[in-house]
Amino acid sequence: MFIKAALASAEETEVAPGGNYDLNIINIEEVPVKKTPGASQLRATLGFTDHPNYQPFNVYVGLVGSADDEVATTRKLRNLRRFCSTFDIAWEAAGFDTDDAVGATAKEVQVTQRPRLDAEGHETEEQQNSCFFKRFDTEEGPAKKSARKRRA
C-alpha cells in the first residue's frame, strides 16, 4: 500500500527556549506510575498557544493512592490544586473533571529546558521542556463549578 502524503513539506518542531509562555492543554489522561505498581498519575500534554512550531510536552501530576502516607497525600493534593489553579480548571472540594481540562489555557507559565531522560533514567543530550505551576491563593475556594454535568 502506498500512502499519499506531502512528506517533503513536513517540518520538525523545536524545543522552546526557557521563558514565560501561554500554554494550552491538548490532552489529559490517567496513566500508571512505571516504578510504583498500583499508583497512577495524570499525564497532561501541553502546547504553546502562540508558537505552533514549539514541541508540545508532557507534565505529570501524581494522584493520591491508597499506599500514600500523609506527607505524600498532602504533596499530591497541593500539586493537583496548583495544576487546576494555573489552568483555571473548575474544581470542587471532592476533585475535578479531566474533561474540563482539555482546551484549558494558562497565561505566562514559566517554561524551562532540561535534559530528556532515557529508558533507564539517565540524562541524554536531547533537551525537552518542563514548566512550573503557579502557587494558588489559599483563600480561593472551589467557587468555580464544572460546566459539565457530574457523572453518577
Side-chain angles (χ1 to χ4, degrees):
M1 169 184 356
F2 182 81
I3 304 298
K4 187 175 179 177
L7 297 176
S9 66
E11 295 181 9
E12 190 57 78
T13 57
E14 58 184 282
V15 176
N20 291 333
Y21 296 94
D22 295 349
L23 301 176
N24 60 294
I25 299 175
I26 298 170
N27 187 42
I28 189 167
E29 60 186 327
E30 184 176 348
V31 296
V33 177
K34 292 179 184 175
K35 296 181 180 179
T36 310
S40 61
Q41 60 191 340
L42 290 179
R43 176 176 57 206
T45 303
L46 306 181
F48 293 86
T49 306
D50 300 324
H51 302 279
N53 286 334
Y54 287 166
Q55 180 178 321
F57 64 100
N58 292 324
V59 294
Y60 296 85
V61 185
L63 297 174
V64 176
S66 59
D68 288 330
D69 61 18
E70 185 177 342
V71 172
T73 297
T74 299
R75 177 179 39 80
K76 289 177 180 181
L77 290 173
R78 179 185 314 114
N79 287 337
L80 279 168
R81 188 160 166 192
R82 284 179 177 170
F83 176 77
C84 288
S85 180
T86 297
F87 285 94
D88 200 25
I89 298 168
W91 62 276
E92 54 192 63
F96 72 101
D97 189 336
T98 57
D99 289 342
D100 293 333
V102 176
T105 59
K107 300 278 187 195
E108 296 292 313
V109 178
Q110 182 183 358
V111 174
T112 62
Q113 281 190 0
R114 64 179 175 87
R116 185 177 299 278
L117 304 178
D118 65 18
E120 288 81 40
H122 300 103
E123 291 183 358
T124 67
E125 295 293 320
E126 189 177 349
Q127 294 289 302
Q128 67 182 21
N129 287 123
S130 185
C131 70
F132 295 96
F133 301 135
K134 70 179 184 179
R135 296 173 64 89
F136 57 85
D137 179 357
T138 56
E139 299 298 317
E140 172 189 84
K144 298 177 230 162
K145 296 294 180 189
S146 172
R148 302 179 194 280
K149 294 187 179 186
R150 294 214 21 141
R151 295 182 209 128

